[in-house]
Amino acid sequence: MKNALRWKMAILITAAIAISYFDRQTLPVAIHAIQREIPVSNIQFSHLQAAFLCAYALMYAGSGKLIDLLGTRKGFLVIMLWWSLACASLGLANSVVFLSVGLFLLGMGEGGGFPAATKAMAEWFPARERSTAMGLMNAGTAVGAVAAPPLIALTLEYLNWRWVFFLAGFAGLMWTVWWMAEYYPASQHRRLTAKERVKLAEVFAQKPADMQAIRWIDLLRYPQIAGLVTAKFLSDAAWYFYIFWLPKYLYDVHHFDTKQVGAFAWIPYAAAGIGSVLGGWFSSRLIQRGFSVNAARKIALGISAGVMPSILLVMHSPVQFVIVLFSIAFAGQQSWSTLVMTLPSDMVPTNVVGSVAGMVGFGGATGGIVFGLVAGELLDHGFSYGPVFACVGVFHVIAFCVILASIRVIGPIDFKKTLTHTAAAYAGRPT
């Protein structure tokens, strides 16, 4: 497509997200091969997830502010270099402790991926196209996760499990070369045409928010942001369970081997990619047909959350239908995720999108930590997967109710008004 530099930037950003999801699938898919050398119990497996997610949560929150300070180009470079080297280091592991440290370092790097990607998309796309672009970016999660099972199985067939991590790290390092050659914000890009500059007029017109008078943590004083953080906590509790435990569930309950996991575990992730693109496209299409941003986002979010309880049937279904149910849940989740990740750029200026996206992601990763530990304890103490699926089947519905209650209208937050009230409160006088 002529004059589509912004979509080339979207593909570049999507590739980074694909690599991140490939990297975080390395351990779950290779776990059986690793266990031949390093014994790992269910509780230890949940602790390994927690090591990744603790660092991921902290850096998701902090890296948003870092990216706002460094700028997207430098910030994303540092983040990708860090997580690629951390992923490669896992190939040297000889104990659960080593795996934990490596995963903690991997989480530190990957925690900055989505805030950086969200900010980059906000620098290149106006509101009418933003959820479509975010859908494409979020489909990168599916590309990486779809590629992981068969490629990891192939690697394990011809090499040992350590090469899974070495090759994944190398792919990330190659991306950094592409990034430095191609990426600049739209306002600074020398190849941006006059025609495309007109299409991005809304992006260039955005004014930076004056955030100096309010502390970073005080962003949570806004009910819209606090609601997003809470909703992400709930929905990502389910999502991280899916991505970390799906291969293990297939190993444990349906007695798959590594080749079978490689043959089938990619299917739900392919559905997740379709959900990512459809959710973003549908919301953008509603806006183009005259719906408000508020209505378009909430309608699409409601539909996405509405399909998630289908996972409640998984414990009573044959394995073929189990894959179908996981595919429906993955599609609904990633449609939901695309839209939730779009909301910060709908509500705040580009110079604070990274910070807000980071706080929202922190909530999501925290949900993953808490529920992952709960799942590990339940499974190692004699419970079946049934109670776990009962929980993850309703988390998105509750999260949607939280969004409806906390964000009455999706639109720009009036920072100036709230800053005035906050400053008055600090001064001890009424407004």
Side-chain angles (χ1 to χ4, degrees), residues 188-256:
Q188 301 172 22
H189 209 293
R190 289 175 291 183
R191 298 206 310 272
L192 188 69
T193 64
K195 184 175 180 180
E196 196 159 19
R197 186 172 290 275
V198 171
K199 291 181 179 292
L200 299 179
E202 174 190 319
V203 174
F204 299 142
Q206 287 190 17
K207 301 295 184 182
D210 179 11
M211 299 300 293
Q212 294 180 350
I214 187 170
R215 297 176 301 171
W216 178 75
I217 194 64
D218 283 339
L219 287 169
L220 288 173
R221 291 176 179 267
Y222 299 91
Q224 302 96 319
I225 295 173
L228 272 183
V229 172
T230 304
K232 191 72 167 168
F233 176 93
L234 291 163
S235 62
D236 276 15
W239 177 233
Y240 284 116
F241 171 77
Y242 291 139
I243 64 175
F244 284 121
W245 289 86
L246 173 59
K248 202 166 189 313
Y249 168 77
L250 295 175
Y251 289 135
D252 293 346
V253 176
H254 296 286
H255 310 295
F256 277 30

Side-chain angles (χ1 to χ4, degrees), residues 140-180:
T141 64
V143 172
V146 164
L151 289 180
I152 292 171
L154 185 65
T155 302
L156 293 172
E157 185 172 352
Y158 293 100
L159 300 168
N160 63 42
W161 62 267
R162 299 180 186 278
W163 279 97
V164 170
F165 299 101
F166 295 150
L167 293 174
F170 178 75
L173 294 176
M174 291 300 96
W175 181 88
T176 63
V177 177
W178 183 17
W179 174 259
M180 290 305 291

Side-chain angles (χ1 to χ4, degrees), residues 276-423:
S276 295
V277 174
L278 283 181
W281 171 84
F282 179 63
S283 181
S284 290
R285 182 65 174 163
L286 289 176
I287 293 172
Q288 292 162 11
R289 291 178 67 87
F291 285 76
S292 67
V293 170
N294 179 63
R297 302 290 191 245
K298 287 180 178 176
I299 290 170
L301 280 167
I303 294 171
S304 302
V307 304
M308 300 305 292
S310 62
I311 203 67
L312 296 172
L313 301 174
V314 78
M315 291 299 294
H316 309 287
S317 304
V319 67
Q320 299 90 338
F321 195 53
V322 163
I323 298 297
V324 173
L325 290 170
F326 274 116
S327 298
I328 293 170
F330 277 46
Q333 150 62 33
Q334 289 304 84
S335 173
W336 166 277
S337 182
T338 291
L339 296 157
V340 169
M341 289 189 301
T342 305
L343 295 185
S345 50
D346 288 332
M347 298 192 298
V348 303
T350 56
N351 69 311
V352 289
V353 163
S355 296
V356 175
M359 296 189 76
V360 173
F362 173 83
T366 304
I369 294 168
V370 172
F371 192 70
L373 292 172
V374 169
E377 290 287 341
L378 288 173
L379 294 171
D380 256 9
H381 284 84
F383 288 87
S384 72
Y385 280 86
V388 180
F389 285 119
C391 293
V392 298
V394 299
F395 282 163
H396 287 75
V397 176
I398 299 171
F400 181 58
C401 293
V402 170
I403 286 177
L404 292 179
S406 61
I407 311 176
R408 297 184 64 181
V409 177
I410 295 172
I413 296 172
D414 188 349
F415 282 102
K416 186 175 181 181
K417 178 179 178 181
T418 308
L419 286 173
T420 301
H421 282 270
T422 303

Side-chain angles (χ1 to χ4, degrees), residues 23-32 34 45 48 99 103 165:
D23 290 355
R24 70 183 68 181
Q25 281 291 292
T26 49
L27 179 71
V29 177
I31 187 63
H32 264 206
I34 294 170
F45 187 66
L48 290 174
L99 288 172
L103 286 166
F165 299 101

Side-chain angles (χ1 to χ4, degrees), residues 3-14:
N3 298 323
L5 184 59
R6 65 192 184 282
W7 293 106
K8 293 178 182 177
M9 294 299 108
I11 291 170
L12 172 61
I13 297 160
T14 299

